[in-house]
Amino acid sequence: MTELAWISSAISAARPQAMGALLRYFRDLDTAEEAFQDACLRALKNWPQNGPPRDPAAWLIFVGRNSGIDAVRKRAKQAPMPEEDQISDLDDAESDIAERLDGAHYRDDILRLLFICCHPDLPATQQIAVALRIVSGLTVKQIARAFLVGESAMEQRITRAKARIADAGVPFETPGAVERSERLAAVAAMVYLIFNEGYSTNSGEAPARAPLCEEAIRLARLLLRLFQTEPEIMGLAALLLLQHARAPARFDEDGEIVLLEDQDRSLWSRKMIDEGLALVDKALRHRKPGPYQVQAAIAALHARADKAEDTDWVEIDLLYGLLEQMQPSPVITLNRAVAVSKVRGPEAALAMIEPLEPRLSGYFHFFGLKGGLLMQLDRGEEARVAFDRAIALANTAAEAAHIRMHIDRLMKDGAVRTPAKKAN
């Protein structure tokens, strides 16, 4: 590893802890970020000469704190003097910051930092962008590329989000047990959002968005180190690993979607699968099931099947039933219908999803599945109508191309009539 590479790696690993601590000291996101950036610049100058510090995070926190204090002093000199009677009532700012350093609880620092990024006042896209910038340290250019927007537009999005965070007055005190649990659930949801932003893509965008999946997995592992006995965090990390393990097989050479049952399983990452399966088994031993654990258990059943026909669809149906009880949702029922079609046939699955149509009328996957089930039942005309609707709702070119493939198959089999051409 080159000199610059190990420094970059050390700074990236230390960033969440250092940023979290600096944010607690200065209670201002911009000040904390400026202090950390200054510490990083000094590290690039100091570490090659003096060697790596024993604890890079502590070094960055100490240097960043001093830099931040200098900046606070400079701003204070430029500010108007307060009234005489107010001066005697002011606390010593430097002593206050030192006390925060001495009482540091890095686990809560990192959790607070992540929690601030997923503040409920922020739209999901802003939550993800701020987390990738502040916690993960991705550049604005990298984030903009992942979201397929211009750099200036992303800069404005992050600036607006930071302003809303500042206006929200997020508390900086160490959270109690109940609040910590609530924060952890919100942070886990944000990490899952980051992963989905990278996972829900087409082959052309995959190289740009893959870092989002990888960063979500890194954050999940970070949470796992902080909360080693939390089975839901184990479940979250396992779910992301098991899903991302299939990434090399999700698209063919032409960029078309390859369904799970048709994927070349030899392309799946065995290392990620083994790590994910171990976490699933560990989480389930706690006997405190939660939504992430159940979804991870479903992904594990797919990962354990050497061939698609070996998949335990009965167990997957049962797990989706449990997930429906935990998180009632038409999308979960839709996913369960796939398992039902394998266990009880397409007619039973179709009966399950038809009541969902009013709530999923704008959802691509609903009409894609409905068309597929109708096709299995030899109801070609109805399948064509469903597939046409799916194409209209497709989020990516790959999704639309996949549905057109089914329509072509229907046409080839003569299951639907070719529309008559209009007279000229």
Side-chain angles (χ1 to χ4, degrees):
M1 184 180 289
T2 65
E3 189 174 80
L4 196 59
W6 72 254
I7 292 175
S8 177
S9 177
I11 288 175
S12 295
R15 184 184 180 97
Q17 183 178 345
M19 272 295 299
L22 293 170
L23 179 63
R24 177 159 53 88
Y25 308 150
F26 298 113
R27 306 195 173 206
D28 179 81
L29 203 51
D30 285 329
T31 302
E33 191 173 14
E34 289 168 8
F36 179 77
Q37 293 298 339
D38 190 63
C40 290
L41 291 174
R42 297 190 188 192
L44 289 170
K45 182 179 179 180
N46 181 282
W47 292 1
Q49 296 176 359
N50 302 324
R54 186 180 61 182
D55 187 342
W59 193 98
L60 291 166
I61 291 168
F62 183 77
V63 173
R65 182 201 64 172
N66 290 340
S67 173
I69 289 173
D70 288 342
V72 170
R73 283 174 177 163
K74 188 175 181 180
R75 285 196 295 268
K77 287 179 181 178
Q78 296 170 347
M81 286 292 290
E83 296 295 330
E84 183 69 27
D85 59 344
Q86 292 179 328
I87 295 176
S88 59
D89 293 332
L90 292 175
D91 291 331
D92 183 344
E94 293 181 31
S95 297
D96 189 32
I97 288 174
E99 286 176 12
R100 293 179 206 161
L101 176 63
D102 294 338
H105 298 288
Y106 79 94
R107 185 174 80 161
D108 287 325
D109 283 343
I110 297 174
L111 183 59
R112 182 188 299 107
L113 180 64
L114 288 164
F115 180 71
I116 285 173
C117 293
C118 65
H119 195 277
D121 285 352
L122 299 180
T125 53
Q126 288 188 11
Q127 291 181 14
I128 295 170
V130 171
L132 292 173
R133 180 73 195 98
I134 302 299
V135 184
S136 303
L138 271 65
T139 65
V140 174
K141 185 177 182 179
Q142 288 173 312
I143 301 169
R145 182 168 176 257
F147 278 88
L148 307 176
V149 299
E151 194 171 342
S152 60
M154 181 53 68
E155 182 74 63
Q156 292 174 8
R157 185 182 297 181
I158 293 173
T159 300
R160 286 195 299 269
K162 288 164 71 175
R164 294 182 74 170
I165 289 171
D167 293 340
V170 180
F172 286 84
E173 289 69 27
T174 301
V178 174
E179 187 180 0
R180 182 182 287 119
S181 177
E182 291 173 350
R183 286 187 178 189
L184 189 57
V187 167
M190 184 199 66
V191 171
Y192 194 40
L193 277 176
I194 292 174
F195 181 85
N196 278 339
E197 196 66 36
Y199 194 77
S200 303
T201 184
N202 60 42
S203 61
E205 299 168 356
R209 288 178 171 249
L212 299 184
C213 293
E214 292 159 6
E215 189 56 37
I217 289 172
R218 192 178 78 86
L219 291 174
R221 285 173 171 152
L222 172 63
L223 288 176
L224 194 55
R225 287 200 300 273
L226 299 178
F227 300 93
Q228 297 180 16
T229 60
E230 287 288 342
E232 269 295 80
I233 300 303
M234 298 176 202
L236 172 65
L239 175 61
L240 304 192
L241 285 162
L242 292 170
Q243 287 185 323
H244 197 48
R246 303 197 294 260
R250 292 182 62 217
F251 301 98
D252 64 17
E253 294 178 355
D254 298 322
E256 305 294 341
I257 292 173
V258 180
L259 294 180
L260 179 60
E261 61 189 31
D262 298 324
Q263 289 178 9
D264 180 355
R265 300 186 178 216
S266 68
L267 297 176
W268 292 0
S269 170
R270 196 70 244 172
K271 184 178 178 181
M272 283 190 182
I273 288 173
D274 290 343
E275 183 181 356
L277 293 179
L279 284 171
V280 170
D281 292 341
K282 185 177 180 181
L284 295 179
R285 283 198 294 271
H286 284 74
R287 299 187 180 279
K288 292 166 58 179
Y292 291 121
Q293 293 172 73
V294 175
Q295 292 176 77
I298 293 169
L301 287 170
H302 288 297
R304 286 190 164 107
D306 293 331
K307 303 186 294 294
E309 52 267 31
D310 296 336
T311 306
D312 189 347
W313 288 107
V314 173
E315 185 65 21
I316 290 175
D317 180 21
L318 292 172
L319 286 170
Y320 269 122
L322 177 60
L323 191 59
E324 278 183 312
Q325 295 174 29
M326 293 177 173
Q327 290 184 326
S329 159
V331 173
I332 291 173
T333 303
L334 187 70
N335 289 332
R336 185 184 181 187
V338 176
V340 169
S341 72
K342 303 289 186 181
V343 178
R344 286 177 267 162
E347 195 164 356
L350 189 62
M352 176 180 282
I353 70 168
E354 281 181 333
L356 305 176
E357 187 159 353
R359 287 181 289 172
L360 298 178
S361 59
Y363 192 52
F364 162 81
H365 294 288
F366 173 82
F367 291 98
L369 177 59
K370 182 178 180 180
L373 295 173
L374 288 166
M375 194 167 144
Q376 291 178 51
L377 293 168
D378 294 325
R379 292 160 62 178
E381 292 288 350
E382 294 171 85
R384 172 65 184 262
V385 171
F387 284 145
D388 283 344
R389 178 64 177 151
I391 289 174
L393 295 169
N395 300 301
T396 66
E399 287 180 347
H402 178 72
I403 296 300
R404 288 193 185 95
M405 179 187 70
H406 285 302
I407 294 176
D408 291 343
R409 191 179 300 169
L410 282 170
M411 301 293 293
K412 182 179 178 182
D413 295 342
V416 296
R417 295 186 299 273
T418 305
K421 292 183 180 179
K422 292 183 179 179
N424 292 329

